[in-house]
Amino acid sequence: MKGTAPLDNGGFAVFTKRSLVRSSVTVFAAGLLMLTAGTAGAAGLLVPAVSMTTAPDALAAYRGQTTCDPVVKPGLRALRDMVMGYYGVGRDGGITRACNISARSEHQEGRAWDWMLDANNPGQRAVGDDFTLWLTGTDGRGEAAGNARRLGVMYVIWNRRIWSASDAASGWLPYSGVSPHTDHVHVSLSWDGAYQRTSWWTGVAVAQQDVGPCMVYIGEFAPAYSGPRYTPCPPAVPRPVNRGTSASRDLDGDGRADTIGRQQGTGTLWFYPGNGAGGVVSRRVVGSGWQMHDSMVLSPDLTGDGRPDLWARDLGTGGLWVYPGDGTGSFTAATQVGWGWHMHDALMAAGDVTGDGLPDLWARERATGYLWLYPGSAGGVPTAPRWVGSGWQMHDALIAPGDVNGDGFADLWAREASTGVLWFYSGDGAGGFRTANSVGYGWGMHDTLIPTVDQTGDGRPDLFGRQRSTGDRYLYPTTATGTPTSPRFGGSGWQMHDTLL
């Protein structure tokens, strides 16, 4: 059957369709299986990367998106290039998409590809039908869905129908998703297929399927992919309400920790979206006049809208204000929630340490060095304080990262002023601390220390430090004992800010 299909440049490609599953099979002396082209003038051939020495891989189990990692995986890149090169029809619709926790898609992990074909164009529909039949039909060796199995295909959607490896016995079924997929073929791969561990690329079938990263908390992305996992994932659980300040770092809702910086001299507030790996992408101005505050603290949601908010103390009056986050990295009009807060020289968001679902606040009294816990109430209004301990004036930096050691209680780092020693205080679940251990030396080299959510995929909060002499920022991954490990460079030029959050 002959037909024509529009090219991206406005011309037409003439092709002759012959189903790939009925194409002739040629075996080279080296043993390489090659399916000959079913399209006249095709730019390439759909051939395995190596000689296949085993039966096809088992049908891929469904492993839906769990992480935020929109980086093209090698198996998808190779599949796209192979198919586009073979057919020379349609266009590349992309592999990755921006992360959105409410709309799961393997595109957000670089494990899915869209091939733009028009099912209403007879020629392009024939190409889409040919490819999907080649994937899911009987291959040249008589194996059912052999090519899909060797490539690690989880499912394919095309022209109002879906084929799933996890339900291959049912064949192609009607698809009723939001998009009818009449304008593109969608292919999602397993983790083994995405990383080219299947027999199409290795010649040997995968012995045990990789289940991928496991979600820890309901409604949150899993830690980043760090290698194959073969044991089943335990059920995700609700995040403990007293995990601390981790929820206060994603200001634009993309699942990544962000940074706020106040420019010294001008009071301009800058928003730095995080890149998910400890760095930032292009910054933008989100406010001016912030020099009126001498202390600012990011907090988990104070106003009930699910977004991180900001406590700020007025320089002149000591009034405490709440600035609601707007979900884009900026803040809306403030509400005053307290007076007389100049009695404290350090404020820290404690997370919910009282178990009532509302964020709390730690504050160090300027005159005595006492540490106080202010339980939160609706709207971010601190209530009557509880005494936590004395002697805290020995520290010149107090950092509240949330739960570092995994016991569900908010912890604290503190730097000793006279020695630069960093101490880790393990939380007791009531706003106080059980133990204190030194976890590092030489921390006086940094003039600013700020906590951040997990940047390394181990589920623990990490630590940023700005080097005093250069203004460079470094990311310190942490261990379960609260010990920061070898730093990673996180950018230069941060000395322009007198406050970093």
Side-chain angles (χ1 to χ4, degrees):
M1 181 178 78
K2 289 187 177 181
T4 60
L7 296 176
D8 289 342
N9 62 10
F12 287 83
V14 178
F15 67 94
T16 302
K17 178 183 179 298
R18 183 173 63 197
S19 175
L20 295 178
V21 297
R22 294 192 294 271
S23 297
S24 60
V25 178
T26 302
V27 181
F28 288 103
L32 180 66
L33 177 67
M34 179 178 72
L35 301 179
T36 61
T39 303
L45 298 173
L46 288 170
V47 297
V50 297
S51 176
M52 295 181 289
T53 60
T54 64
D57 309 68
L59 289 160
Y62 174 71
R63 313 285 185 193
Q65 178 235 347
T66 59
T67 67
C68 174
D69 184 25
V71 176
V72 175
K73 302 302 183 287
L76 271 297
R77 180 185 293 110
L79 175 64
R80 176 197 62 192
D81 294 347
M82 179 175 66
V83 172
M84 294 291 292
Y86 180 88
Y87 286 100
V89 176
R91 62 180 177 84
D92 176 16
I95 292 174
T96 62
R97 301 285 187 275
C99 293
N100 181 347
I101 191 67
S102 64
R104 296 178 68 185
S105 167
E106 290 77 44
H107 283 298
Q108 300 178 35
E109 295 176 325
R111 290 197 292 135
W113 174 52
D114 287 344
W115 180 19
M116 308 309 292
L117 295 173
D118 183 1
N120 296 311
N121 178 301
Q124 293 195 21
R125 183 173 66 249
V127 170
D129 291 347
D130 191 77
F131 170 64
T132 54
L133 179 60
W134 176 81
L135 269 183
T136 64
T138 303
D139 70 5
R141 290 186 171 185
E143 299 282 359
N147 294 313
R149 291 158 63 185
R150 291 192 185 279
L151 286 163
V153 173
M154 287 198 307
Y155 62 91
V156 189
I157 310 174
W158 164 239
N159 194 16
R160 305 180 190 276
R161 297 191 305 157
I162 182 171
W163 179 90
S164 300
S166 58
D167 189 21
S170 298
W172 283 87
L173 297 173
Y175 180 73
S176 57
V178 175
S179 167
H181 288 67
T182 54
D183 60 352
H184 69 280
V185 178
H186 173 98
V187 182
S188 282
L189 297 189
S190 66
W191 284 104
D192 292 309
Y195 280 100
Q196 295 185 300
R197 293 192 291 260
T198 55
S199 62
W200 185 271
W201 311 108
T202 67
V204 179
V206 169
Q208 190 173 8
Q209 293 186 11
D210 181 4
V211 305
C214 297
M215 294 179 69
V216 179
Y217 300 113
I218 296 171
E220 298 184 22
F221 291 117
Y225 186 89
S226 59
R229 176 191 174 101
Y230 301 115
T231 56
C233 291
V237 299
R239 177 177 280 278
V241 295
N242 55 357
R243 287 283 294 186
T245 61
S246 59
S248 68
R249 298 292 156 182
D250 176 20
L251 299 173
D252 58 2
D254 65 356
R256 302 171 181 177
D258 307 312
T259 300
I260 292 288
R262 183 179 65 185
Q263 188 171 346
Q264 57 182 329
T266 68
T268 300
L269 203 66
W270 293 85
F271 171 62
Y272 294 83
N275 66 4
V280 297
V281 295
S282 57
R283 66 179 184 174
R284 64 178 182 270
V285 173
V286 293
S288 60
W290 285 81
Q291 66 270 25
M292 68 179 288
H293 298 297
D294 64 352
S295 182
M296 298 186 293
V297 181
L298 283 174
S299 171
D301 178 31
L302 299 170
T303 58
D305 62 3
R307 299 167 179 162
D309 301 313
L310 183 75
W311 273 305
R313 183 178 61 195
D314 189 89
L315 174 64
T317 67
L320 190 66
W321 298 78
V322 167
Y323 287 84
D326 67 358
T328 70
S330 187
F331 302 92
T332 59
T335 300
Q336 190 165 5
V337 295
W339 294 263
W341 283 81
H342 42 57
M343 68 179 288
H344 299 298
D345 61 4
L347 303 176
M348 297 147 289
D352 175 26
V353 299
T354 59
D356 60 3
L358 299 170
D360 306 316
L361 184 66
W362 278 312
R364 183 178 62 186
E365 190 173 344
R366 191 185 306 272
T368 64
Y370 292 166
L371 189 67
W372 298 88
L373 173 71
Y374 288 83
S377 66
V381 179
T383 60
R386 305 175 186 176
W387 186 78
V388 174
S390 60
W392 289 85
Q393 67 271 25
M394 69 179 284
H395 300 299
D396 62 358
L398 299 173
I399 308 101
D403 177 25
V404 178
N405 59 11
D407 62 2
F409 304 141
D411 305 315
L412 194 71
W413 282 303
R415 183 179 62 192
E416 190 172 345
S418 61
T419 64
V421 171
L422 191 68
W423 293 84
F424 177 70
Y425 290 84
S426 176
D428 64 5
F433 306 96
R434 293 179 296 186
T435 59
N437 296 293
S438 61
V439 292
Y441 303 87
W443 285 84
M445 68 180 289
H446 296 297
D447 60 5
T448 299
L449 297 171
I450 59 174
T452 184
V453 297
D454 175 33
Q455 301 285 334
T456 59
D458 60 9
R460 288 187 293 273
D462 299 315
L463 181 64
F464 281 125
R466 182 178 65 183
Q467 193 167 351
R468 193 183 304 272
S469 61
T470 65
D472 294 344
R473 189 171 81 156
Y474 290 89
L475 171 69
Y476 290 85
T478 61
T479 70
T481 63
T483 303
T485 59
S486 299
R488 305 176 183 179
F489 180 72
S492 58
W494 292 92
Q495 67 271 24
M496 70 176 284
H497 299 296
D498 60 12
T499 299
L500 289 171
L501 305 173

